[in-house]
Amino acid sequence: MNHAALQTAGPFAQEIAKLFWIFAGVATVVYVIVIAVLVVSLRRRRGDEAPPPDVIPRTTLRVIGGSLALTGIILVGWALADFFGNRAITDVPPEALRIRVTAHQWWWEVEYLDAITQDRVTTANHLTIPVGRPVVLELRSRDVIHSFWVPSLNGKKDLLPGYVTHLALIASHAGQYRGECAEFCGYQHAHMSIDLTAATPEEFERWRNAQRASAAEPTDDLQRRGRDVYLSSSCRACHTIQGTMSAARLGPDLTHLASRPRIAAGALANDPANLAAWILDPQSIKPGTKMPATQMSADDLSALTAYLGNLR
Ligand code: CUA
């Protein structure tokens, strides 16, 4: 999974990487020159026991003047590079796909905006975007300041309570990318990752159509029992499973939970054992999380994880 700012997978990240190399390159050259001049003058000084002259020699004045001018040119050059780089990463074509991302302590709510309300897709901690098509994220926060950062695709953008910010993404090639919350937002800030899949446009449409559908029906008795356990437990007080009586929005939408690679905002891989551990005692995995522990028998729990594992 690609997770590095200099391993770019799109034009915006390339702009930022380019800026990094310009700044790092120029700063390295300046550093080497300064150190070289320092070494040479220390060497000369050692051999020269005569007191320093009262009048500064003309060549020294020229070197000082030249260095000051060069410093000014470099600073102006950096400011211009920064200005144009910033313009390039905020320049978004109007036909972009729009996705609303809402940050919560400590997970990401993701809604694919659509003019037809029924066609909106809601998911959590996982974005799927089509390769080559610009995407604009509409960023909001429910509680404190968070920051959205998928380093291979673009820089960071803060999510502020009561205020909407925007961030554009373009993925140039298909792949799996990982992102993080990049602003300290409380105890579980480090467990607030987001997974991003860049898929071909056809795969993306297939994925979106699958996500629009209601939850999969149970296929056997164990899963049917699991659905009964779910609907009679406290789970439905916070979560939604489309097509059932469960429609609360305090926690992540679980309609297609099994299609997501990880659970608990990246804290665990999405498998039955981790799901069971998470349901029984989330506080031991992610202390401070809003999800309370749920008591249930081993049989009920395995039925529940069988049902949830079928929600593709
Ligand atoms: Cu959310 Cu740090």
Side-chain angles (χ1 to χ4, degrees):
M1 202 171 279
N2 197 337
H3 193 217
L6 295 178
Q7 279 169 26
T8 60
F12 300 138
Q14 269 158 21
E15 280 297 328
I16 294 171
K18 201 167 80 188
L19 268 188
F20 170 80
W21 287 116
I22 291 172
F23 276 64
V26 173
T28 307
V29 170
V30 170
Y31 177 79
V32 168
I33 292 173
V34 168
I35 294 299
V37 170
L38 183 70
V39 169
V40 168
S41 40
L42 282 177
R43 282 249 174 98
R44 275 206 193 157
R45 193 76 191 90
R46 208 174 294 155
D48 178 11
E49 290 307 317
D54 293 337
V55 183
I56 302 173
R58 188 160 282 185
T59 33
T60 310
L61 283 176
R62 280 212 195 102
V63 169
I64 293 172
S67 314
L68 284 175
L70 192 61
T71 306
I73 291 167
I74 289 172
L75 288 179
V76 171
W78 274 354
L80 287 175
D82 183 62
F83 174 77
F84 287 113
N86 196 45
R87 268 228 315 219
I89 62 170
T90 46
D91 190 19
V92 184
E95 75 280 8
L97 175 73
R98 301 188 81 82
I99 305 172
R100 178 181 294 161
V101 176
T102 308
H104 300 256
Q105 279 173 320
W106 295 278
W107 60 283
W108 306 92
E109 184 180 354
V110 177
E111 290 170 275
Y112 287 70
L113 301 180
D114 200 305
I116 305 162
T117 319
Q118 292 96 310
D119 279 350
R120 289 190 173 195
V121 164
T122 304
T123 179
N125 306 320
H126 185 225
L127 279 167
T128 298
I129 64 170
V131 167
R133 182 165 168 202
V135 174
V136 173
L137 304 182
E138 184 190 303
L139 302 170
R140 297 157 185 262
S141 169
R142 264 310 147 69
D143 34 52
V144 299
I145 299 175
H146 303 262
S147 180
F148 181 95
W149 190 31
V150 178
S152 301
L153 296 180
N154 204 342
K156 303 166 185 172
K157 193 76 185 180
D158 280 4
L159 300 91
L160 310 164
Y163 191 80
V164 180
T165 50
H166 294 92
L167 179 72
L169 303 177
I170 299 177
S172 326
H173 22 91
Q176 302 288 333
Y177 305 98
R178 192 173 150 177
E180 305 296 334
C181 178
E183 175 84 34
F184 181 73
C185 56
Y187 198 12
Q188 293 300 327
H189 158 69
H191 287 138
M192 193 168 165
S193 307
I194 188 157
D195 295 310
L196 188 148
T197 303
T200 62
E202 302 77 43
E203 280 168 357
F204 171 73
E205 284 308 327
R206 222 175 299 136
W207 173 86
R208 184 153 70 166
N209 285 330
Q211 295 280 317
R212 277 174 182 153
S214 290
E217 287 294 314
T219 56
D220 57 30
D221 286 343
L222 184 68
Q223 291 177 16
R224 261 185 288 279
R225 177 173 168 187
R227 183 170 64 183
D228 293 342
V229 169
Y230 175 87
L231 290 172
S232 58
S233 74
S234 54
C235 307
R236 51 181 283 212
C238 296
H239 296 285
T240 288
I241 295 183
Q242 298 282 353
T244 72
M245 299 293 283
S246 169
R249 295 197 55 184
L250 281 176
D253 186 305
L254 304 180
T255 310
H256 299 284
L257 174 67
S259 71
R260 309 203 282 252
R262 299 189 291 167
I263 57 168
L268 298 170
N270 190 357
D271 63 45
N274 283 341
L275 259 180
W278 176 248
I279 292 164
L280 277 186
D281 190 8
Q283 298 298 327
S284 71
I285 295 163
K286 220 166 141 172
T289 179
K290 301 255 169 31
M291 173 143 158
T294 307
Q295 299 297 324
M296 62 178 68
S297 70
D299 286 352
D300 280 355
L301 188 61
S302 59
L304 178 57
T305 55
Y307 171 59
L308 295 174
N310 186 44
L311 301 181
R312 306 219 141 263

